Amino acid sequence: MPDLKNEIKKEVSRRKTFAIISHPDAGKTTLTEKLLLYGGAIRLAGSVKARKANKYAVSDWMEIEKQRGISVTSSVMQFEYNDYCINILDTPGHQDFSEDTYRTLVAADSAVMLIDGAKGVEAQTIKLFHVCKMRGIPIFTFVNKMDRASKDPFELMEEIEQVLGIRSYPMNWPIGTEGDFKGIYNRKHSQIELFDGGAHGQTQVSSTVGKVDDTIFADLLGSHYHDKLCEDIELLDMAGDEFDKEKIRSGELTPMFFGSAMTNFGVQPFLESFLELAPSPGIKTTSNGEIDPESDKFSGFIFKIQANMNPTHRDRLAFIRICSGKFTKGMTVKHVNAGKDVRLSQPQQFMAQERTIVEEAYPGDIIGLFDPGIFNLGDTLYEGNGNVRFEGIPIFPAEFFARVSPADTMKRKQFIKGIDQLSEEGAIQVFKQIDIGIEALIIGVVGALQFEVLEYRLKNEYGVSLRVQNLPFRHARWIENEGLDPRKLNLPSTSIIVEDKEGRNSILFENEWSIRMAEERNKDLKLIDIATQD
Ligand code: G4P
């Protein structure tokens, strides 16, 4: 047993599991590829790009993915670097698929926030950032595309603070930000890394006196750039935040790096600092106290369910984030929510497009299990005794709604089956209108494109054509007050009362203004925008 404990301890300490959050086009695919290259996964890296660029079979299961050149599902990429074992949770980049992206963040121990230097903090980054903030995970910022003209770096720091409410600590500082990029100054090592126009090699020049005003740098950069750099660094040292590991760990301070993923500039130093500072899998809270990742009892939770990934054999996969102990192929564990033992055979690990059978896995790793229809989002698997359950997975509020029914009423049974499946995957939220007796269900999605996915999948997997009537609502709010009869509320005439799949009352609103009006008219009403999956 001590051997197993030591083995788990060692594997936990070398694991880093993270997701990249960004707005489409900021360079996530490019950065992911470059990171994988450092792990020696060259072929894999190529496939990330190909998947997006749609150069060959992008996905074998959904035509929509191919047609649009976007990835609908997320997978995990694992690679080794300097004795670390790194799991990148790949998240769908297109803004229409953010429900899945949100949920994937629940399985990450930290996040890399990728920002386009010229555009600053963009809409989707803000949404995803808030999920990370809510979970209190550390966030590392990489400001990309510095080879081009960018915003002033002080302005970017200010923007991050104003828009996201987090302070930043620049680990390095760009030299030349008006399309005349010269390189970066590494604050920790008093070192300049020269940009050579993207020839991949990097020239590093260190200060001989350990200070930014070393004449070696003046000679290297010329006085124009060197004077500006000295001024900037002096200002940062004087007025900026201090480097504080604790604050980084608690998500109060984000270490900030400047670079260019495309030219592979600043990626390796970023990766190395990230690995040093990012947390390994930590203690997790359950209904029955805390679980230490180093415990010898396996535990994990299901954060993603995906059906019909391969049309030739209808499979359904449940993705598990391992939280403690050691996973071994074929082991029997307790499916806590169902109160049953299950044997974990044929576990799959995902390396971009490739599936391999996993023999063993450790905390921080993600495995996919064939699911005969017994798993639900948020379920706990546990090797020990006791009613241990991980915290539920939040449901993110849908922003688009439509009344959906089968075009052919004879197909109602298959329709319900398909809707149930997609709802179990978390791809859609199902509501029933309760203030009038209407048959059609209301479906809510986080991105409008998901209606297309819904139509496509129901047609292809269940043989059901849909009738979709778009509704003007943009917000769902759950009613927190217990025992309150929603029909008695004084609501704006443009809102409707619905019930979610668990029978919880919520209200659909057209805009923020009507939410405020509902709250003002009904002083005791408590509305929340995120409900938790039980
Ligand atoms: P995403 O996954 O976040 O959507 O972004 P992706 O990596 O696909 O990058 C979006 C575009 O930005 C791509 O250009 C990519 O080459 C470019 N890019 C990424 N990193 C950098 C960088 O550091 N500097 C510069 N200048 N550009 C960068 P594209 O023209 O859309 O695609 P492609 O023709 O290069 O494939």
Side-chain angles (χ1 to χ4, degrees), residues 402-420:
R403 231 175 233 131
V404 173
S405 55
D408 176 357
T409 46
M410 301 295 284
K411 295 260 170 97
R412 186 139 190 106
K413 215 167 133 193
Q414 291 95 314
F415 166 75
I416 295 292
K417 202 167 154 204
I419 294 285
D420 281 350

Side-chain angles (χ1 to χ4, degrees), residues 180-300:
D180 54 347
F181 189 50
K182 297 286 168 218
I184 48 175
Y185 172 70
N186 179 323
R187 292 176 76 194
K188 186 172 168 195
H189 300 298
S190 301
Q191 185 170 288
I192 283 178
E193 286 149 29
L194 282 181
F195 178 64
D196 55 12
H200 295 303
Q202 278 168 38
T203 323
Q204 296 183 343
V205 181
S206 298
S207 160
T208 46
V209 294
K211 279 197 182 149
V212 67
D213 52 12
D214 195 333
T215 50
I216 202 171
F217 293 153
D219 295 343
L220 196 70
L221 298 170
S223 61
H224 167 70
Y225 289 105
H226 187 236
D227 290 351
K228 170 87 170 73
L229 176 67
C230 291
E231 263 174 40
D232 286 357
I233 298 299
E234 195 185 332
L235 188 59
L236 274 183
D237 287 345
M238 254 171 39
D241 282 59
E242 287 197 12
F243 180 81
D244 185 330
K245 235 175 164 166
E246 280 314 305
K247 285 190 178 162
I248 293 173
R249 285 279 165 116
S250 59
E252 291 167 72
L253 183 72
T254 176
M256 191 175 186
F257 302 79
F258 294 84
S260 160
M262 188 180 74
T263 58
N264 206 0
F265 184 84
V267 177
Q268 192 170 14
F270 163 72
L271 176 62
E272 287 178 6
S273 287
F274 169 79
L275 292 172
E276 195 188 311
L277 296 170
S280 293
I283 288 173
K284 291 248 187 280
T285 315
T286 73
S287 57
N288 205 0
E290 293 182 331
I291 282 203
D292 190 326
E294 293 172 15
S295 150
D296 53 12
K297 298 272 182 278
F298 167 88
S299 72

Side-chain angles (χ1 to χ4, degrees), residues 22-30 49 52 144-145 147-148 260-262:
S22 62
H23 193 82
D25 255 6
K28 191 171 66 165
T29 312
T30 313
K49 185 80 187 168
K52 170 153 181 164
N144 193 28
K145 307 198 185 180
D147 55 304
R148 288 199 201 149
S260 160
M262 188 180 74

Side-chain angles (χ1 to χ4, degrees), residues 86-365:
I86 302 151
N87 292 307
I88 304 184
L89 300 171
D90 185 24
T91 47
H94 196 281
Q95 64 195 73
D96 280 328
F97 289 97
S98 20
E99 170 71 34
D100 210 24
T101 316
Y102 285 150
R103 214 173 312 110
T104 299
L105 294 176
V106 179
D109 294 321
S110 61
V112 169
M113 177 165 77
L114 181 70
I115 290 175
D116 181 329
K119 295 189 178 151
V121 180
E122 296 177 85
Q124 192 172 336
T125 314
I126 301 175
K127 286 189 187 176
L128 296 169
F129 174 87
H130 286 305
V131 180
C132 297
K133 182 102 182 169
M134 196 174 79
R135 293 201 51 232
I137 58 173
I139 298 159
F140 295 78
T141 303
F142 187 89
V143 183
N144 193 28
K145 307 198 185 180
M146 293 310 293
D147 55 304
R148 288 199 201 149
S150 75
K151 286 189 176 179
D152 177 80
F154 285 111
E155 205 184 300
L156 281 166
M157 288 174 71
E158 175 94 19
E159 195 175 314
I160 289 173
E161 176 160 14
Q162 294 296 322
V163 180
L164 303 175
I166 187 171
R167 307 273 302 175
S168 51
Y169 180 88
M171 304 289 285
N172 59 32
W173 195 252
I175 306 159
T177 56
E178 291 164 10
D180 54 347
F181 189 50
K182 297 286 168 218
I184 48 175
Y185 172 70
N186 179 323
R187 292 176 76 194
K188 186 172 168 195
H189 300 298
S190 301
Q191 185 170 288
I192 283 178
E193 286 149 29
L194 282 181
F195 178 64
D196 55 12
H200 295 303
Q202 278 168 38
T203 323
Q204 296 183 343
V205 181
S206 298
S207 160
T208 46
V209 294
K211 279 197 182 149
V212 67
D213 52 12
D214 195 333
T215 50
I216 202 171
F217 293 153
D219 295 343
L220 196 70
L221 298 170
S223 61
H224 167 70
Y225 289 105
H226 187 236
D227 290 351
K228 170 87 170 73
L229 176 67
C230 291
E231 263 174 40
D232 286 357
I233 298 299
E234 195 185 332
L235 188 59
L236 274 183
D237 287 345
M238 254 171 39
D241 282 59
E242 287 197 12
F243 180 81
D244 185 330
K245 235 175 164 166
E246 280 314 305
K247 285 190 178 162
I248 293 173
R249 285 279 165 116
S250 59
E252 291 167 72
L253 183 72
T254 176
M256 191 175 186
F257 302 79
F258 294 84
S260 160
M262 188 180 74
T263 58
N264 206 0
F265 184 84
V267 177
Q268 192 170 14
F270 163 72
L271 176 62
E272 287 178 6
S273 287
F274 169 79
L275 292 172
E276 195 188 311
L277 296 170
S280 293
I283 288 173
K284 291 248 187 280
T285 315
T286 73
S287 57
N288 205 0
E290 293 182 331
I291 282 203
D292 190 326
E294 293 172 15
S295 150
D296 53 12
K297 298 272 182 278
F298 167 88
S299 72
F301 64 87
I302 293 163
F303 70 98
K304 178 179 169 65
I305 289 184
Q306 180 78 60
N308 310 332
M309 287 176 88
N310 183 342
T312 53
H313 20 93
R314 287 267 161 127
D315 52 359
R316 176 167 139 143
L317 285 164
F319 290 77
I320 296 171
R321 149 79 203 225
I322 302 176
C323 298
S324 68
K326 177 179 178 179
F327 168 84
T328 41
K329 191 179 117 189
M331 75 191 299
T332 298
V333 297
K334 200 159 133 195
H335 177 204
V336 180
N337 304 65
K340 283 186 186 147
D341 283 349
V342 284
R343 187 159 180 267
L344 307 181
S345 47
Q346 293 216 27
Q348 314 264 316
Q349 199 158 36
F350 288 80
M351 302 281 281
Q353 291 297 296
E354 292 171 26
R355 294 185 191 183
T356 45
I357 298 278
V358 228
E359 299 289 331
E360 343 189 285
Y362 298 90
D365 291 348

